[in-house]
């Protein structure tokens, strides 16, 4: 996923994810380089959505 293609826009995407999924906490969205899989797993746990669905949503933010 191009390293989530998120590094440069992470704060914007983090804010959008928090707006869309209010059940996510700041801890869930704390991004550490190299932890993309862990982040996706946390979002999956909180939202119940499939990994590929979340990847597409993140790409489209």
């Amino acid at each position: 996923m191009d390293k989530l293609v998120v590094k440069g826009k992470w704060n914007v995407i983090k804010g959008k994810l928090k707006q869309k999924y209010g059940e996510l906490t700041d801890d869930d969205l704390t991004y550490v380089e190299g932890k993309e899989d862990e982040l996706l797993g946390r979002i999956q746990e909180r939202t119940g959505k499939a990994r590929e669905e979340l990847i597409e949503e993140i790409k489209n933010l």
Side-chain angles (χ1 to χ4, degrees):
M1 185 160 90
D2 300 330
K3 286 292 181 190
L4 272 182
V5 190
V6 177
K7 291 180 184 179
K9 304 189 298 181
W10 179 240
N11 286 330
V12 172
I13 289 174
K14 186 167 68 169
K16 287 181 179 183
L17 286 170
K18 284 170 76 174
Q19 288 174 5
K20 187 167 186 165
Y21 302 110
E23 63 271 16
L24 293 174
T25 66
D26 286 333
D27 287 341
D28 292 327
L29 294 171
T30 299
Y31 178 79
V32 178
E33 188 172 338
K35 299 280 188 170
E36 298 90 2
D37 289 333
E38 183 178 337
L39 172 63
L40 285 170
R42 284 177 173 240
I43 296 172
Q44 276 184 281
E45 286 177 2
R46 297 285 184 169
T47 65
K49 292 193 174 198
R51 178 184 173 87
E52 293 304 316
E53 182 180 2
L54 290 171
I55 290 170
E56 284 304 311
E57 284 186 19
I58 291 170
K59 283 182 179 179
N60 292 323
L61 288 178

